[in-house]
Amino acid sequence: MKLKVYTDGGAKGNPGPAGCGAVIYNPQTKKTKKYSRFLGKATNNQAEYEALILALRKAKELQATEIDCYLDSRLVVEQLNRNYKIKNRVLGSCFIKIWNLSQSFKRVNYYYIPREKNKEADRLVNEVIRKNKKT
């Protein structure tokens, strides 16, 4: 089963209160599942990685075999496609988690999309931060 995954992560302040969101779409059944998680204090890039980790874990639970991942973070996409080096230790740790999770699937592709095409994942991020942010 092939799934389409849209992920986003963000932080209010960098670092600051952060969250991640994932929208998983099954083209065969036309069903969509949505997930989000509050991360506490993190950077935008850490949140972007955590969103993908969340999505891959959920896709594994759904027994996907192939995944097309759409992110609005060019940095993360280029790092995952091994076009950019990862210099940050925390992001390197996230990369390893994603690499290990990706071994559960026959194929995982990472694509950069403009923010305007990732509105639902972005909405999930903002919603989870707003609900959990201490005022």
Side-chain angles (χ1 to χ4, degrees), residues 9-19 40-48 75 88 91 129 133:
K12 301 298 180 194
N14 198 23
K41 187 176 181 180
T43 67
N44 285 317
N45 290 333
Q46 289 166 347
E48 292 281 0
L75 174 76
N88 179 285
L91 298 186
I129 292 172
K133 188 176 170 185

Side-chain angles (χ1 to χ4, degrees), residues 47-88:
E48 292 281 0
Y49 269 101
E50 288 295 335
L52 191 54
I53 291 167
L54 172 66
L56 291 176
R57 285 182 176 150
K58 295 300 183 181
K60 185 176 176 181
E61 288 174 15
L62 295 169
Q63 300 178 331
T65 55
E66 292 185 48
I67 308 172
D68 284 337
C69 301
Y70 299 92
L71 297 81
D72 60 17
S73 170
R74 188 177 304 276
L75 174 76
V76 174
V77 169
E78 294 297 342
Q79 287 176 337
L80 290 168
N81 286 328
R82 289 178 230 107
N83 295 323
Y84 290 179
K85 289 183 181 176
I86 302 170
K87 298 175 183 174
N88 179 285

Side-chain angles (χ1 to χ4, degrees), residues 3-50:
L3 298 177
K4 288 186 174 188
V5 170
Y6 296 83
T7 64
D8 196 18
K12 301 298 180 194
N14 198 23
C20 62
V23 177
I24 299 177
Y25 176 69
N26 183 330
Q28 291 84 24
T29 65
K30 308 279 191 251
K31 291 192 178 177
T32 301
K33 294 190 180 274
K34 299 173 186 178
Y35 307 94
S36 62
R37 189 163 70 88
F38 184 68
L39 302 171
K41 187 176 181 180
T43 67
N44 285 317
N45 290 333
Q46 289 166 347
E48 292 281 0
Y49 269 101
E50 288 295 335

